[in-house]
Amino acid sequence: MRYGHFDDERREYVITRPDTPLPWINYLGCEAYFGIISNTAGGYAFYRDARLRRITRYRYNSVPLDYGGRYIYVRDNASGAFWSPSWQPTRHPVEDYLCRHGLGYTVIGSSQAGIRAETRYFVPLGEDLEIWQLTLANRRAEPAHLSLFSCIEFCLWDALDDASNFQRNFSTGQVEVVDGVIYHKTEYRERRNHFAYFACSEPLEGSDTQREDFLGPYRGWDDPQAVARGASGNSHAHGWAPIGSHHVRLALEPGERREVRFLLGYHENPREDKFDPPGSQTLNKQTVRPVIAKYLQKANADAAFAELRAYWDQLLGIYQVHTPDEHVNRMVGIWNPYQNMATFNVSRSASFFESGIGRGLGFRDSNQDLLGFVHMVPSRGRERLLDLAATQLETGGAYHQYQPLTKRGNDAVGSDFNDDPLWLVLAVAAYLKETDDWSLLAEPVVYENKPGSEQPLYEHLQRSLQYTLDRLGPHGLPLIGRADWNDCLNLNCFSDEPGESFQTTTHREGGVAESVFIAGLFVLAAKEMAELSVRAAQRLPDLAAGRPDKYRQAAREMAATALAHGWDGAWFLRAYDHFGRRVGSDACEEGQIYIEPQGFCVMAGLGLEDGRAEQALASVAERLATSHGIVLQQPAYSRYYLHLGEISSYPPGYKENAGIFCHNNPWIMIAETMLGHGDQAFDYYMRINPSAREEIGEVHRCEPYVYAQMIAGRDAPTFGEAKNSWLTGTAAWNYVAITQWILGIRPTYDGLQVAPVIPAAWSGFTATRVLRGVTYRIEVRRAGPGRAVSLQVDGVPIDGDVVPPPPGGRDRVRVAATLG
Ligand code: GLC
Ligand code: GLC
């Protein structure tokens, strides 16, 4: 069953009924000001950090679902009837409801009693504000006398404190209302120099800033007393719960259309100029007034919207494909890179499933997110890599998370997730291949955010690898630490205390838990480092780089160790536990085979020559693959195992306990392409492709335009149901799998590689890839069943499958690839 459809032409997903199984959300903003917005206008806004600079309030897991948002009420002054064009919060029946989620904007509208009302919400590029453009049309034969009420609820900045510290917060709220603009300035009197504002393009009939006066005692957002009686209370918030609500009266002739604009924004004043006049307690509005005036003008709002559209055209133009499969074209061309932008920006902080108060930017997560993002805005990738590296410790280890606002490592979570530093190597390599900007490696970067400890980034990478080599267990495999990629395999935790964090608690020291997954990751990272250091030595002689032999040797040794001690007979073992016993082995009662080492060891090249890679992937197909995707392990843990930790805390089929953890499905896809199995890789790709799952919306339930972290596995009663959409490494990895490995177009140090491993039934495809300022138009044609590729570049055959950068500053290249 579908709840809408794709409009590929406009790059939108169109939702045609408001009661989707879950709120289907979108993101507004892609730089510093962000919002989430659902298909019924639920959601909130924040500046940079969803916890520390929360602008509007939202109640997670609310009843009714998804309450608190960017609300507009339309009231017919003749009848007194009122409704919300976005359906929520009144949930009044509406006609021809539509929500269009586009790239950085959302349009929601409906008709009721002959009045069409539609709002376009977006954040202009380069600004810290959002614009709501509300269009009203009178389709009646007579004039319509309407009242509009806007409403948002301000959050008192720190979202965690806001949701818990009521003894203080009920007394601190402060606002000013001047010239129709509502300014929210709680705590501005003391240490803050930022405030929020909510403005309207029309003359106001009235306003409200105190929530309970707007709503009325014991009334909800569905039935505010101000709207019901058709008049604001002109309330002024002193403490309690500041809101922003404007009341506008409009008379529309038959057939008349009008646009009303609202602005919600964030603004900072210089600390020394906070007040105007100086010495008063009045907000200095001098610098914000021009911004407000500008975007309240329709022409400026429209121009900002056009600019946003053009920005996305440019970003998406970097990689476009036309294949025989519409789900590929749509996900690769539009939605997957769009999701990559969201994950890169907000990491795992703010979504319908992430509360914005928990996690900062994860070290491993952000490095992986970069893999799907770096081609779009490399300069931001560069900045992110430097920020991440600055949270690395001198040992080479890393803070597991850092806060986006302060860019400092999070002490509460700490370090010792032993896979973390290796992801930095993969991310830096991806950046270099995309940009050829070797200066990055010479950038001085501190350790642990400590001034004076600067070393070139290259040295950080060396320490990343050394960190693993300094922490080997009895089999010579890497020690796992608190956890590796799988946060829930906690082999040193042994928690029997309810509520304790599985990730940060270590109850037993001195264990020997080792990770075969980290071994695979290490081999891949060491190989990358070898390649990278050869070039670094050529490009940056001062760096004294270039110990490729050392890294090749380390990769070889680790590979040998993994094959000797990490092979279980028909697949790669997952780990050795605290006591040196096998995890993810045929010998185990449950959890006999895990997906992660099968993917990563093969990606690292292990077992390619001796058939073990083939065998491992055959075991995945046999034991882990389901119609909805590949589950993380099997058999699911039926009970809690003290020595395994959180993985066994989940009921069977959910999350890491045998859920389809979509993040690592692409590792198997990539591994399959390395063995030349195009059909198998593509089949796995399609099983979790959100667009392909659109038609089973009642089963999948999450948005069909973005990946979810998890789809319930076959052990779960809700097999096939997705959860935790949007903020997941699934986005970047699926993008890498389809664009670089299945379609086979990947940047390398020496040029653009074209080595597709596509389904046998495809006759070919065309693609456009912009790399380092050169546009490559690629046509792939299948001449035979294999994957051998021969290339012609601008009509001239070349050796190998890497197209070198064109000579003489040319910026257009035609590539013809023949497969078979
Ligand atoms: C979550 C975490 C990620 C981890 C994964 C598996 O997605 O954000 O860091 O690797 O779960 O546990
Ligand atoms: C839980 C989740 C896991 C996530 C972790 C983050 O353990 O199961 O997916 O990575 O929390 O701390």
Side-chain angles (χ1 to χ4, degrees):
M1 174 175 173
R2 295 167 197 248
Y3 300 85
H5 57 267
F6 287 92
D7 183 340
D8 293 336
E9 198 65 33
R10 293 167 63 147
R11 295 176 166 158
E12 292 173 340
Y13 190 80
V14 185
I15 301 167
T16 46
R17 50 186 291 177
D19 56 341
T20 44
L22 291 163
W24 283 5
I25 71 165
N26 192 14
Y27 285 80
L28 306 178
C30 56
E31 295 162 321
Y33 183 104
F34 296 102
I36 65 177
I37 182 163
S38 73
N39 57 308
T40 59
Y44 58 93
F46 60 95
Y47 175 75
R48 288 193 193 277
D49 188 315
R51 169 162 172 199
L52 298 176
R53 292 285 186 281
R54 187 75 66 96
I55 297 167
T56 57
R57 187 175 284 158
Y58 186 74
R59 287 175 185 73
Y60 275 96
N61 198 6
S62 66
V63 175
L65 200 58
D66 187 28
Y67 239 37
R70 300 170 171 84
Y71 292 145
I72 288 169
Y73 302 85
V74 179
R75 181 178 188 274
D76 186 338
N77 289 337
S79 67
F82 65 90
W83 65 94
S84 328
S86 57
W87 189 59
Q88 288 251 58
T90 62
R91 290 187 308 284
H92 198 281
V94 285
E95 298 149 29
D96 46 70
Y97 160 92
L98 269 191
C99 166
R100 293 178 168 271
H101 282 319
L103 307 180
Y105 68 90
T106 286
V107 179
I108 312 175
S110 61
S111 304
Q112 174 66 24
I115 305 297
R116 172 83 196 160
E118 187 173 275
T119 313
R120 179 167 80 188
Y121 302 89
F122 72 101
V123 176
L125 291 169
E127 301 289 357
D128 299 327
L129 58 91
E130 58 184 70
I131 303 179
W132 309 1
Q133 288 179 281
L134 166 66
T135 319
L136 285 161
N138 179 10
R139 292 178 175 167
R140 298 176 184 169
E142 1 19 274
H145 295 277
L146 305 175
S147 277
L148 299 179
F149 293 86
S150 63
C151 194
I152 50 105
E153 186 176 9
F154 290 110
C155 183
L156 309 186
W157 303 115
D158 179 334
L160 180 59
D161 185 78
D162 179 76
S164 48
N165 192 7
F166 304 110
Q167 60 79 25
R168 170 178 163 88
N169 295 342
F170 283 168
S171 294
T172 55
Q174 288 195 300
V175 297
E176 285 179 29
V177 184
V178 180
D179 299 334
V181 182
I182 296 165
Y183 296 91
H184 173 232
K185 59 168 195 176
T186 299
E187 291 186 349
Y188 190 80
R189 66 198 306 283
E190 27 132 342
R191 291 155 295 176
R192 296 187 185 274
N193 62 329
H194 46 264
F195 58 91
Y197 56 89
F198 191 34
C200 174
S201 60
E202 308 304 305
L204 298 189
E205 195 66 24
S207 66
D208 272 300
T209 61
Q210 184 60 279
R211 187 183 69 207
E212 299 314 313
D213 286 324
F214 175 73
L215 293 178
Y218 292 91
R219 295 170 76 140
W221 298 112
D222 56 338
D223 187 26
Q225 80 176 1
V227 182
R229 75 175 170 236
S232 292
N234 294 319
S235 59
H236 191 101
H238 300 282
W240 296 114
I243 60 160
S245 174
H246 310 99
H247 175 200
V248 173
R249 274 177 186 268
L250 291 176
L252 293 185
E253 292 305 317
E256 189 182 347
R257 281 165 64 93
R258 282 275 279 283
E259 186 182 292
V260 177
R261 287 162 301 287
F262 298 93
L263 293 188
L264 173 64
Y266 169 94
H267 196 77
E268 287 175 7
N269 272 334
R271 290 197 169 271
E272 55 292 354
D273 276 328
K274 279 177 43 168
F275 301 107
D276 181 28
S280 75
Q281 288 292 298
T282 311
L283 249 182
N284 175 0
K285 305 176 187 71
Q286 286 176 32
T287 54
V288 77
R289 270 201 194 106
V291 183
I292 297 176
K294 176 174 177 188
Y295 289 104
L296 284 180
Q297 299 288 325
K298 177 166 168 53
N300 295 331
D302 288 344
F305 184 72
E307 215 185 301
L308 181 66
R309 294 278 281 186
Y311 179 67
W312 274 104
D313 285 346
Q314 180 260 318
L315 292 183
L316 298 183
I318 297 170
Y319 196 134
Q320 284 291 311
V321 282
H322 295 283
T323 74
D325 193 296
E326 66 166 347
H327 303 299
V328 174
N329 301 344
R330 171 185 291 152
M331 289 309 298
V332 169
I334 306 170
W335 294 98
N336 198 345
Y338 181 61
Q339 184 178 6
N340 292 346
M341 170 70 90
T343 58
F344 181 86
N345 283 334
V346 305
S347 190
R348 307 296 174 265
S349 71
S351 74
F352 182 69
F353 299 87
E354 299 277 11
S355 66
I357 56 179
R359 303 202 252 167
L361 278 87
F363 195 90
R364 80 159 83 87
D365 292 345
S366 294
N367 278 305
Q368 292 172 84
D369 291 344
L370 182 137
L371 303 177
F373 171 83
V374 69
H375 67 289
M376 290 193 283
V377 196
S379 58
R380 292 190 59 210
R382 189 181 209 274
E383 181 190 359
R384 178 65 55 80
L385 289 168
L386 295 172
D387 289 346
L388 284 164
T391 66
Q392 220 179 346
L393 314 177
E394 300 204 19
T395 57
Y399 272 108
H400 194 50
Q401 291 169 9
Y402 78 91
Q403 293 310 125
L405 204 63
T406 61
K407 297 192 172 179
R408 297 186 69 85
N410 182 339
D411 283 319
V413 182
S415 123
D416 295 338
F417 294 78
N418 283 355
D419 63 316
D420 269 339
L422 296 172
W423 297 107
L424 182 66
V425 179
L426 300 192
V428 168
Y431 173 83
L432 295 173
K433 289 174 188 171
E434 184 68 35
T435 62
D436 204 30
D437 167 23
W438 293 84
S439 71
L440 175 73
L441 294 180
E443 284 283 342
V445 185
V446 293
Y447 290 98
E448 220 180 314
N449 311 109
K450 284 197 189 118
S453 61
E454 288 84 355
Q455 292 273 329
L457 180 68
Y458 185 76
E459 172 66 22
H460 284 250
L461 301 185
Q462 294 196 299
R463 292 194 193 186
S464 290
L465 289 161
Q466 193 56 42
Y467 179 84
T468 304
L469 295 175
D470 289 344
R471 285 164 185 75
L472 300 179
H475 299 90
L477 292 164
L479 293 173
I480 200 167
R482 286 176 167 175
D484 61 19
W485 172 87
N486 190 331
D487 267 334
C488 295
L489 190 60
N490 316 118
L491 301 180
N492 299 308
C493 177
F494 296 89
S495 177
D496 53 10
E497 185 65 35
E500 215 165 49
S501 161
F502 286 101
Q503 275 91 42
T504 59
T505 307
T506 302
H507 280 303
R508 288 201 198 163
E509 302 286 351
V512 290
E514 296 167 279
S515 164
V516 178
F517 168 78
I518 300 184
L521 175 60
F522 177 87
V523 175
L524 190 62
K527 285 181 170 176
E528 285 288 2
M529 190 66 178
E531 265 205 75
L532 179 158
S533 59
V534 176
R535 279 137 180 120
Q538 294 159 355
R539 315 273 182 124
L540 303 164
D542 293 350
L543 212 55
R547 301 174 63 200
D549 292 343
K550 174 183 161 184
Y551 294 114
R552 279 194 204 108
Q553 171 77 9
R556 262 197 308 274
E557 284 173 14
M558 186 65 83
T561 306
L563 288 168
H565 300 291
W567 181 253
D568 194 58
W571 56 80
F572 290 98
L573 196 64
R574 178 63 177 83
Y576 288 94
D577 71 13
H578 189 85
F579 312 102
R581 298 174 310 205
R582 295 177 159 232
V583 177
S585 160
D586 201 29
C588 302
E589 211 177 300
E590 299 183 319
Q592 295 172 336
I593 169 171
Y594 278 66
I595 190 173
E596 306 98 305
Q598 321 315 325
F600 246 84
C601 291
V602 178
M603 282 164 71
L606 270 64
L608 288 183
E609 278 104 50
D610 64 6
R612 284 194 260 188
E614 284 278 357
Q615 206 178 352
L617 295 184
S619 299
V620 169
E622 187 191 326
R623 295 183 167 237
L624 300 180
T626 77
S627 53
H628 291 290
I630 311 169
V631 299
L632 194 142
Q633 46 90 1
Q634 278 290 287
Y637 294 113
S638 59
R639 60 194 169 86
Y640 178 56
Y641 292 92
L642 188 65
H643 69 290
L644 298 176
E646 186 168 5
I647 189 164
S648 58
S649 75
Y650 287 113
Y654 293 108
K655 296 279 286 184
E656 283 86 343
N657 188 12
I660 296 157
F661 216 90
C662 298
H663 185 138
N664 45 32
N665 278 224
W667 301 346
I668 300 296
M669 298 169 204
I670 296 171
E672 292 285 2
T673 65
M674 294 179 66
L675 295 174
H677 301 160
D679 281 323
Q680 183 63 285
F682 189 69
D683 181 8
Y684 288 146
Y685 172 76
M686 290 304 285
R687 294 185 202 193
I688 62 168
N689 179 304
S691 163
R693 297 176 64 79
E694 184 193 21
E695 60 185 18
I696 53 163
E698 76 289 1
V699 177
H700 186 77
R701 300 184 80 238
C702 279
E703 297 93 330
Y705 40 92
V706 288
Y707 286 96
Q709 181 199 54
M710 184 203 59
I711 297 172
R714 65 179 166 215
D715 300 289
T718 57
F719 183 35
E721 180 189 38
K723 279 185 196 150
N724 201 0
S725 53
W726 279 100
L727 302 182
T728 160
T730 307
W733 276 110
N734 271 284
Y735 191 73
V736 170
I738 183 72
T739 60
Q740 299 192 18
W741 296 92
I742 297 176
L743 300 174
I745 299 171
R746 53 182 176 268
T748 71
Y749 296 119
D750 306 320
L752 187 63
Q753 192 165 17
V754 180
V757 187
I758 53 177
W762 281 18
S763 56
F765 65 92
T766 60
T768 306
R769 176 65 157 95
V770 182
L771 179 68
R772 305 178 204 155
V774 179
T775 303
Y776 296 85
R777 292 201 189 283
I778 302 160
E779 187 166 350
V780 177
R781 204 174 47 83
R782 189 184 270 302
R787 62 156 161 162
V789 62
S790 45
L791 297 185
Q792 291 204 350
V793 177
D794 288 327
V796 182
I798 63 161
D799 286 338
D801 58 10
V802 176
V803 184
R810 285 204 353 258
D811 63 0
R812 275 170 197 279
V813 173
R814 258 183 325 105
V815 181
T818 310
L819 274 192

